[in-house]
């Protein structure tokens, strides 16, 4: 993947749409509407009320709807603007002109675009330039993503974000069994992520698996079995995967 040059002709602010129709007022749509408005873009938002569109034209339409709705909504808004884009990481550009996928997570409480990566694509140079300008006006770092690469890219994003939450929920469940709450785990999680970013996975890895301390790992497993037996298959997979990562213990589980 190629991060785009900051000063190329394609990234000219002149490519930034001045007036945008944004469809979908969910987690990403709400955050995008606020951030684009703050960046000086004139944003009109729509939910399922697409017929409420007034006569004034838009420079672009940005779809922030579930992936399964993209084809239908794109067909419904075709003719509203010269360029239609979606914000899905996994969906190809078949039904739209450009793609703009913030590599960031947005909840009902919002999220930050500043400094985030942003996968962009365009069916034409103009469409790509529009996506690029939108990403940059929000302080994101755009990089071009081919449709063929979308499934792997999106899987990586899911592992990095969604599965991390699943993992922390498992840690929380076991910690709760001995009265330790989420806030106490949080500094450990944050430092671990910072170490992984700074050093890479092998050097960031600490703990009994990395030290080859199988006795401690076995005692931990018994405790997990007692506190949350449903987590044992996940525990076993993670121990194996962690052993494979550690330079000290790159051998399969003795189980
Ligand atoms: N959330 C993130 O962290 C994130 C990050 C990057 C990219 N994205 C992308 O953003 C897109 C939206 O995700 P999201 O997390 O914001 O989902 P979401 O919170 O579920 O919001 C989706 C919104 O689309 C509306 N909608 C559904 N079908 C529609 C239709 N036929 N016409 C008009 N509006 C419709 C929903 O309205 P109702 O409430 O009426 O159903 C809802 O407001 C997805 O493509 C996703 O991949 C999300």
């Amino acid at each position: 993947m190629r991060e785009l040059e900051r000063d190329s002709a394609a990234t000219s602010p002149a490519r930034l749409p001045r007036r945008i129709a944004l469809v979908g007022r969910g987690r990403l749509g709400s955050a995008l509407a606020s951030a684009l408005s703050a960046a000086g873009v004139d944003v009109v938002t729509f939910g399922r009320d697409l017929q409420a569109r007034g006569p004034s034209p838009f420079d672009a339409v940005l779809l922030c709807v579930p992936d399964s709705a993209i084809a239908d909504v794109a067909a419904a808004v075709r003719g509203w603007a010269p360029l239609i884009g979606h914000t899905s990481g996994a969906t190809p550009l078949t039904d739209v002109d450009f793609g703009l996928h913030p590599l960031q997570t947005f909840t009902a409480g919002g999220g930050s675009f500043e400094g985030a990566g942003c996968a962009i694509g365009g069916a034409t140079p103009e469409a790509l330039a529009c996506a690029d300008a939108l990403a940059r006006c929000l302080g994101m770092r755009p990089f071009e993503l081919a449709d063929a690469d979308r499934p792997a890219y999106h899987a990586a994003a899911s592992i990095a974000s969604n599965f991390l939450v699943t993992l922390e929920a498992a840690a929380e469940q076991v910690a709760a069994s001995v009265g330790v709450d989420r806030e106490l785990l949080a500094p450990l999680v944050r430092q671990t992520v910072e170490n992984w970013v700074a050093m890479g996975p092998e050097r960031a890895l600490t703990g009994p698996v990395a030290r080859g301390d199988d006795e401690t790992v076995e005692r931990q497993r018994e405790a997990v079995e007692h506190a949350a037996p449903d987590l044992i298959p996940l525990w076993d997979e993670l121990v194996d995967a962690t052993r494979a990562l550690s330079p000290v213990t790159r051998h399969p589980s003795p189980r």
Side-chain angles (χ1 to χ4, degrees), residues 23-29 47-48 64-67 69-70 73 87-89 101-102 104-106:
V23 184
R25 298 184 179 115
R27 285 164 285 200
L28 179 61
R48 292 172 187 269
C64 300
V65 298
D67 295 5
I70 286 173
V73 179
T87 49
S88 167
H101 180 259
Q104 182 56 286
T105 181
F106 299 87

Side-chain angles (χ1 to χ4, degrees), residues 1-222:
M1 272 170 222
R2 185 170 66 97
E3 192 164 348
L4 298 174
E5 294 291 326
R6 195 162 278 279
D7 299 327
S8 77
T11 67
S12 157
R15 311 281 186 156
L16 184 66
R18 292 292 153 202
R19 186 168 159 78
I20 282 191
L22 193 150
V23 184
R25 298 184 179 115
R27 285 164 285 200
L28 179 61
S30 302
L32 264 176
S34 303
L36 285 170
S37 297
V41 178
D42 184 6
V43 182
V44 181
T45 66
F46 296 85
R48 292 172 187 269
D49 52 340
L50 295 180
Q51 63 289 349
R53 177 176 76 112
S56 52
F58 297 105
D59 299 319
V61 183
L62 193 53
L63 309 183
C64 300
V65 298
D67 295 5
S68 57
I70 286 173
D72 285 350
V73 179
V77 302
R78 194 48 78 190
W80 283 25
L83 296 173
I84 297 173
H86 71 48
T87 49
S88 167
T91 311
L93 302 185
T94 318
D95 299 301
V96 296
D97 304 295
F98 69 90
L100 177 96
H101 180 259
L103 190 46
Q104 182 56 286
T105 181
F106 299 87
T107 65
S112 171
F113 295 93
E114 187 63 41
C118 185
I120 61 170
T124 63
E126 291 71 27
L128 181 65
C130 168
D132 185 276
L134 283 168
R136 281 183 205 284
C137 89
L138 297 173
M140 291 193 283
R141 297 161 51 194
F143 56 91
E144 209 176 336
L145 180 71
D147 271 1
D149 294 336
R150 284 178 175 271
Y153 158 76
H154 202 241
S158 290
I159 295 169
S161 175
N162 314 147
F163 297 172
L164 181 60
V165 175
T166 308
L167 208 54
E168 296 314 335
E172 198 176 339
Q173 193 181 342
V174 178
S177 73
V178 289
V180 172
D181 64 20
R182 188 191 306 160
E183 284 67 28
L184 287 169
L185 290 173
L188 171 66
V189 177
R190 293 197 182 100
Q191 186 65 56
T192 304
V193 170
E194 289 305 326
N195 291 349
W196 164 70
V197 172
M199 306 172 184
E202 291 187 359
R203 289 183 58 216
L205 202 59
T206 61
V209 172
R211 288 192 291 270
D213 182 353
D214 291 341
E215 266 180 45
T216 298
V217 175
E218 193 47 40
R219 277 205 304 278
Q220 291 178 326
R221 187 180 190 278
E222 284 164 16

